[in-house]
Amino acid sequence: MINNLYNKVKKMVQFFVFMGILLFLFCKVTWIFRANNSEARETIQGFHNLDNIDVVLYGGSNLLRYYQPLEAYKEKGYTSYNYATSAATADLLKVYIEESRTSNEAILYVCDVRTMPLLGETIEETSLRNWSDSVTVFSIQRIKGITSFLFTRDWEGWDIPSFYFDIAKYHSEYGLLASSDQWSYMKAGSVYDVDKGFAPNTSANAVPFNEPIVIEERGELTEQQANTLNELLDYCDDENLQVLFIVCPYIITESDWKILNKCGDIIQSRGYDFINFNNYYDEIGLDFETDFVDKNHVNYLGSEKYTEYLMNYISDHYDLPDHRGDKAYSNWDDDYNEYTLQQASWKEEIVSLVNQHLAAKELGGNLSNINDFSSWFEAIQDSNFTIIVEKNQCKEYDTDNFAFHYMIDKWGIDVEQANYVGVWNGEEKLFSNNGEGGYKGIIGVGGGRAQVQCIVNAGEAPVISVNGIDYFNNSGGIQIVVFDNNYRKVVDCVNITVDDNEVNLVR
């Protein structure tokens, strides 16, 4: 009888040991095959490998690109970290806090609710996977986060199990086996994020925008938005957390203003601090001509200003320790020294680009005053301009003007053909065609809603449309529209005529 009991216990132990080994190997293999955003994996795992973070900030790419934790440590002495993944939505904030607290209890929690207006019924896979595929597979918080995200949306037609066991999505990505970065996650405990969750836009850019107009009106939250906000606030109440709710500055729309104003009212009525930084452009010192990379993100110049304002606000309003000079935090000093090596190059690139943009702006402002064709043609070849060319009806161009013939050759215009359409971004050909047909596409910089649609057709239904405005003047011959890519506006519109060997610009 004792032997039978012993054998049963032995088999049970063997079974659990086997299952433990199997689950261990499953988790390790999953890490190797994960093909979600590598920045997210480094950020989330890097957080869990640090100790004693005083301030943890939660959100999406608006945090990753805006706030510099190492700069705050250098200037104020408190430790902070951006626990954030690109494309994150507001309904993930609660589970972000829960998951982060498994390894660190912060003094202050900072939640950016900027994405609250984006909540909807559609599942945006990237929003979830950037985080869920960066967390240990069998984490309870991970499972809760996936469940709440999927089943508050229209999930029909989605492969639900692949969210919980993401290797089902990535198992065929055999090319990842050749990546040493992927294998490094076999030892996830060694992942280290020197920048503490800050990552400026990798391509230096400075896109000019108009400063948004402040809207004081309040909107009405959808049921999903209201539930998300109240569940987050209830969690903060239950856990007795010290929380600051914020909204990073961006090119905010009127509808977003109204929703976020309402969110702010609810947050403050529940006794929490709320600051919408879109009300503090002047105090932050934001320059909308130089400090943004697109409508939703500042560039490095903007992040410097935002970090300075936010770290001063946090330091002035919350009681936080100063770890500078403490040997236990010497690794933060080392990380800052490494970080500063990159700062100079980031800033130098953007300042150089801003100077180019401003020079192009001045040039574009003077184009309409240039009447000499050769000088004008030389000026419009600036890489900051998109050139839209349309030839409608056959014309004779009897001239020995070198610049004119260089233009014909450069853009491939067949003067014998009745029609031609060309769209050129500096030296880059977006479209070029002699004869019937045309171009329809996006021009300008700034990403997403900031870009401008261009439509050009020659032939029986000629049109030159930029941002919904038709510039075609029906006078025949060659017409050229010059578009400033950065400021996203037409800066000149001319027709080219030739009289007595002279090339003329007609506006």
Side-chain angles (χ1 to χ4, degrees):
M1 184 174 177
I2 293 175
N3 286 337
N4 287 339
L5 179 62
Y6 172 80
N7 288 332
K8 288 181 180 180
V9 171
K10 181 180 179 180
K11 288 181 179 179
M12 289 179 63
V13 170
Q14 289 175 334
F15 171 78
F16 284 115
V17 169
F18 173 77
M19 290 301 297
I21 294 172
L22 186 64
L23 292 176
F24 174 80
L25 293 174
F26 177 82
C27 291
K28 295 296 183 182
V29 171
T30 296
W31 274 116
I32 296 173
F33 277 92
R34 280 178 164 173
N36 67 313
N37 186 287
S38 58
E39 177 186 75
R41 277 178 278 143
E42 181 182 69
T43 299
I44 300 304
Q45 286 305 304
F47 173 83
H48 288 296
N49 296 330
L50 286 176
D51 297 320
N52 303 320
I53 308 297
D54 302 318
V55 180
V56 184
L57 300 92
Y58 304 91
S61 58
N62 44 320
L63 283 180
L64 298 170
R65 312 296 177 236
Y66 278 64
Y67 176 74
Q68 304 175 36
L70 283 170
E71 195 64 30
Y73 170 76
K74 179 66 175 179
E75 296 299 323
K76 300 298 178 182
Y78 66 82
T79 58
S80 56
Y81 196 101
N82 293 328
Y83 186 105
T85 61
S86 292
T89 52
D91 55 340
L92 288 170
L93 293 173
K94 175 175 172 286
V95 73
Y96 277 19
I97 299 176
E98 287 184 287
E99 206 280 325
S100 74
R101 293 178 68 207
T102 61
S103 65
N104 185 90
E105 284 288 350
I107 298 172
L108 175 66
Y109 298 84
V110 181
C111 291
D112 192 320
V113 295
R114 198 178 85 173
T115 58
M116 193 66 73
L118 300 179
L119 288 181
E121 297 297 321
T122 304
I123 291 176
E124 298 293 341
E125 186 174 10
T126 303
S127 298
L128 177 59
R129 285 200 182 276
N130 278 344
W131 172 77
S132 65
D133 297 353
S134 300
V135 180
T136 303
V137 178
F138 295 107
S139 160
I140 294 174
Q141 290 75 26
R142 178 179 183 269
I143 295 170
K144 289 170 61 178
I146 293 172
T147 302
S148 63
F149 185 93
L150 294 178
F151 298 114
T152 54
R153 290 170 167 81
D154 181 10
W155 54 270
E156 289 192 20
W158 283 91
D159 182 8
I160 299 300
S162 74
F163 286 95
Y164 293 97
F165 303 103
D166 48 278
I167 197 169
K169 177 179 175 65
Y170 302 128
H171 70 278
S172 61
E173 302 280 349
Y174 299 115
L176 296 174
L177 294 173
S179 170
S180 59
D181 289 339
Q182 295 294 120
W183 283 90
S184 68
Y185 284 94
M186 288 286 283
K187 296 181 179 179
S190 65
V191 176
Y192 193 76
D193 188 348
V194 171
D195 301 329
K196 310 297 183 277
F198 173 70
N201 290 280
T202 53
S203 59
N205 213 339
V207 179
F209 292 99
N210 294 322
E211 182 175 318
I213 298 173
V214 175
I215 303 295
E216 299 290 348
E217 296 176 52
R218 271 58 180 162
E220 290 299 321
L221 304 187
T222 65
E223 182 179 359
Q224 185 182 20
Q225 291 166 344
N227 288 341
T228 294
L229 183 57
N230 284 311
E231 286 176 9
L232 175 58
L233 292 169
D234 289 343
Y235 173 79
C236 296
D237 285 346
D238 294 341
E239 299 297 319
N240 195 30
L241 302 181
Q242 183 172 223
V243 187
L244 166 64
F245 291 89
I246 64 171
V247 175
C248 289
Y250 65 111
I251 315 304
I252 184 172
T253 64
E254 181 178 346
S255 59
D256 283 9
W257 262 117
K258 293 177 181 179
I259 295 299
L260 293 170
N261 286 341
K262 183 65 174 181
C263 289
D265 291 345
I266 295 171
I267 290 167
Q268 290 175 318
S269 71
R270 296 282 296 268
Y272 292 95
D273 294 334
F274 173 77
I275 179 168
N276 184 342
F277 288 105
N278 291 285
N279 285 306
Y280 298 92
Y281 298 142
D282 291 339
E283 291 85 345
I284 297 171
L286 282 177
D287 185 340
F288 283 82
E289 192 168 19
T290 63
D291 293 348
F292 282 80
V293 71
D294 56 41
K295 280 199 167 187
N296 293 317
H297 305 94
V298 290
N299 57 29
Y300 183 71
L301 297 179
S303 76
E304 280 191 314
K305 298 173 182 178
Y306 177 76
T307 298
E308 181 178 9
Y309 190 86
L310 179 55
M311 71 183 182
N312 285 334
Y313 182 90
I314 289 174
S315 182
D316 290 343
H317 289 80
Y318 300 95
D319 185 17
L320 298 171
D322 186 344
H323 300 293
R324 290 172 295 183
D326 186 339
K327 291 182 179 179
Y329 291 83
S330 61
N331 61 309
W332 282 76
D333 296 302
D334 295 337
D335 291 345
Y336 181 80
N337 291 334
E338 183 176 340
Y339 174 69
T340 55
L341 298 177
Q342 305 174 74
Q343 287 179 304
S345 62
W346 291 334
K347 193 165 186 176
E348 183 179 348
E349 287 179 27
I350 295 179
V351 169
S352 174
L353 195 63
V354 167
N355 290 336
Q356 292 177 36
H357 290 181
L358 295 177
K361 176 187 178 183
E362 183 177 359
L363 178 61
N366 291 327
L367 274 182
S368 60
N369 297 320
I370 302 175
N371 293 313
D372 175 70
F373 174 78
S374 298
S375 301
W376 179 84
F377 179 67
E378 181 181 359
I380 69 171
Q381 294 181 70
D382 189 287
S383 61
N384 291 284
F385 297 147
T386 291
I387 309 301
I388 304 160
V389 188
E390 193 225 43
K391 180 175 182 287
N392 203 61
Q393 304 173 25
C394 184
K395 292 262 187 176
E396 292 185 7
Y397 296 99
D398 185 14
T399 178
D400 57 9
N401 184 290
F402 174 79
F404 179 83
H405 288 286
Y406 178 75
M407 177 190 74
I408 295 295
D409 292 338
K410 179 177 182 178
W411 291 336
I413 301 175
D414 185 348
V415 294
E416 301 299 323
Q417 289 279 348
N419 304 306
Y420 169 83
V421 167
V423 182
W424 298 79
N425 185 1
E427 296 295 321
E428 179 188 2
K429 179 177 72 174
L430 302 181
F431 184 84
S432 180
N433 179 61
N434 284 288
E436 297 288 333
Y439 171 84
K440 181 177 181 180
I442 297 298
I443 58 176
V445 297
R449 294 174 293 175
Q451 291 183 303
V452 170
Q453 187 173 67
C454 170
I455 303 173
V456 193
N457 283 307
E460 294 184 2
V463 63
I464 304 176
S465 175
V466 180
N467 203 23
I469 300 173
D470 189 9
Y471 289 88
F472 180 71
N473 62 20
N474 201 32
S475 63
I478 297 176
Q479 183 179 351
I480 298 178
V481 172
V482 184
F483 178 82
D484 187 316
N485 295 325
N486 307 303
Y487 289 85
R488 299 172 301 286
K489 66 178 182 179
V490 170
V491 293
D492 207 2
C493 178
V494 305
N495 279 79
I496 298 174
T497 65
V498 176
D499 295 309
D500 298 328
N501 197 42
E502 292 292 323
V503 181
N504 303 307
L505 301 176
V506 180
R507 295 184 173 90

